[in-house]
Amino acid sequence: MPRGQLRPHQVWLIGVPLNLLLAIPCYYPVAMGLLAFQVIAGELGLADIDPTVVDDGAGTVIFLGLAALGFAALVAFGLNALFAFRAPALDKTIYWLTVPLLIAIPDIVHLTNR
């Protein structure tokens, strides 16, 4: 193994705890993103939304939610890219599909169980 390269199991040993820890600071961006998606679905007539959210300005909620979610995604991508690209044998499709799940699922479970 050349210096600076990682084995796939090493990336998983680093990545899973890292992404579960990233779920903590990403709680509010995920919550704001879910609110933005709920407002978008309400504007399209696919879901019922609280009228006070729309009265206060749906555009502001959508912009802030998606901006916070985008910033959190960039931070998570940057931290994962530091070591994920050092493993040439890593199945990158499975890893990069697992990253948002490890961040979002604990946040969504916490939001639904509040």
Side-chain angles (χ1 to χ4, degrees), residues 7-65:
R7 294 184 178 96
H9 74 278
Q10 292 172 323
V11 173
W12 285 101
L13 285 174
I14 297 168
V16 170
L18 172 73
N19 290 309
L20 288 174
L21 286 174
L22 278 175
I24 297 168
C26 289
Y27 175 75
Y28 287 108
V30 168
M32 292 292 290
L34 289 175
L35 180 61
F37 292 140
Q38 182 182 10
V39 169
I40 292 170
E43 293 292 325
L44 294 174
L46 301 173
D48 295 330
I49 57 173
D50 187 16
T52 58
V53 173
V54 178
D55 293 341
D56 292 341
T60 305
V61 172
I62 293 170
F63 175 75
L64 290 177

Side-chain angles (χ1 to χ4, degrees), residues 61-81:
V61 172
I62 293 170
F63 175 75
L64 290 177
L66 296 180
L69 196 60
F71 179 73
L74 286 175
V75 169
F77 173 78
L79 288 175
N80 279 285

